[in-house]
Amino acid sequence: MARLLRLLAGTAALLLAASPAMAADPVEVGVNWGSQLSHPLMPTSVVKMLKANGISRVKMFDADPWPVGALLESGIEVMLGIPNDMLETMNSYGNAQDWVKENVTAYGDKLKLKYVAVGNEPFLKAYNGSFMKTTYPALKNVQKALDEAGVGSKVKAVVPLNADVYVSPDDKPSSGAFRPDINDLMTDMVKFLHDHGAPFVVNIYPFLSLYQSDDFPFEFAFFDGGKNIQDKGGISYSNVFDANYDTLVNALKKAGVPSLEVIVGEAGWPTDGNKNANLKLAQRFYDGLLEKLSKNEGTPVRPGKMEVYLFGLFDEDMKSIAPGNFERHWGIFTYDGKPKFPMDLTGQGHDKLLSPVPDVEYLPHQWCVFDDGAKDKSKLPGNIQYACASGDCTALGYGCSCNGLDEKSNISYAFNMYFQMQDQDVRACDFDGLAKITDKNASARGCLFPIQVLSAGGRPTPGLGWAAPLALAVMLFV
């Protein structure tokens, strides 16, 4: 029945999409549209929301025909993605040709495609070199396939990279250089990008600088702070975003491509899952970033207009939490398409709530909660661990939005998240007789116990971190 309802909802949304949508004046900033949600929203409704907010650029992490189809003839500029697990496949030129035929030329002019992202942060240190040998050949094959398909002059192959591909021995941007272990590879790759008129795409996260070091100056993560660092030549930096960006610019100079265009493929601030991940700080970060972009001031070493994609559009409850519980809370919109906080995408400071995703339908108003009348509670720890492993308990940690719950509510939250992610299947609210379904809203102490949305999308495999479910389960009883 749930699947039938999702299909009916999808059909209804497609019919509604045929009616014209109110569109705001376009804004310069782009957004990342991720797909690691247990209940993805209807793409046609998402595109309506994008247009209503004037968002004219989207970056994706794959080439799923479902959301891509909704972008056809929308006028929205698109960056499609080839996931890391396909890089080896793209080392065959024939496969690269097939991919371009199926995902680029098949759409013709209906898709306003500008970039194809070959991999995503493939040289991340955490990958231990897994994609070191396959990324550059894949990049060359995809660009060659684009060229031979007659679209290479307007569609460029790029490789979005994490900021950890470059370093500065003395923490000064002027000393920026590519990591010694990948310097030769990066030098070859940036020269290829330069020769083919493609930009360098980098992901810059001031939040992660703060998260990864207790000694990092808090105010330096934002654009209105008082902390300054001095570099050579009298250059001063008041925020880590500019300092990070110019570290890359100096690395590009050393690699022989000083004028290579740079695009910030991801920049954002999470709103839960860590003591510094909250609505107030996220709004502060975005207000500062958007104001900076509106002024076209650039950075001390690279002044002028910058192209930036915000990360991300929605919270994604299936992302890996190995980097931290905040990974599932990067969205400027909630899982059900509601704006989290006021913001002005034009950077003029006229903050207001963005237009939400329209036509969102929900599962029935019911929750799965802990039954404290259950006789045998000996299996409680194992069931909590299971619920958190297959659900999402990231809001329960220290300093998070649901940190203030009592023990009973903690357990109920874990059970309910699993229940909702399983489409409220009655079998998902048993837990060896320790749970029950209720129509009374279980939200408590400022903590939202969500009801999931109706979705026509399939459910991806959960992205768990090492030992995360066990740690969360233990946390509930501390």
Side-chain angles (χ1 to χ4, degrees), residues 32-41 60-62 64 66-67 83-85 120-121 127 266 311 313-323 327-330 335 391-392 421 452 455 458-465:
N32 283 267
W33 184 358
S35 60
Q36 297 185 59
L37 300 88
S38 62
H39 290 67
L41 298 169
M60 312 188 77
F61 295 88
D62 53 31
D64 186 344
W66 193 36
N84 290 339
D85 60 10
N120 183 53
E121 300 185 334
Y127 292 149
E266 298 178 19
F311 188 88
L313 201 52
F314 304 113
D315 284 350
E316 299 177 65
D317 60 359
M318 307 299 278
K319 286 196 72 177
S320 168
I321 56 174
E327 277 296 326
R328 296 179 177 176
H329 303 279
W330 287 102
Y335 74 99
D392 180 18
M421 290 173 71
Q452 261 298 354
S455 173
R459 187 183 297 111
T461 303
L464 303 172

Side-chain angles (χ1 to χ4, degrees), residues 51 65 100 109 226 235 336 341 364 445:
K51 297 180 76 170
V100 168
D109 293 333
I235 294 177
D336 54 350
F341 49 85
R445 300 187 182 183

Side-chain angles (χ1 to χ4, degrees), residues 10 14 28 32 45 55 99 109 114 125 144 199 211 224 260 296 314 338 340 357 386 394 420 432 442 445 451:
L14 286 170
E28 291 296 323
N32 283 267
S45 296
I55 297 172
W99 191 95
D109 293 333
K114 189 169 184 180
K125 289 181 181 178
K144 181 180 178 182
Y211 174 76
D224 58 352
L260 183 64
N296 291 327
F314 304 113
K338 291 185 174 67
K340 290 184 179 179
V357 176
Y386 179 80
T394 54
Q420 300 294 340
D432 289 319
R445 300 187 182 183
I451 293 175

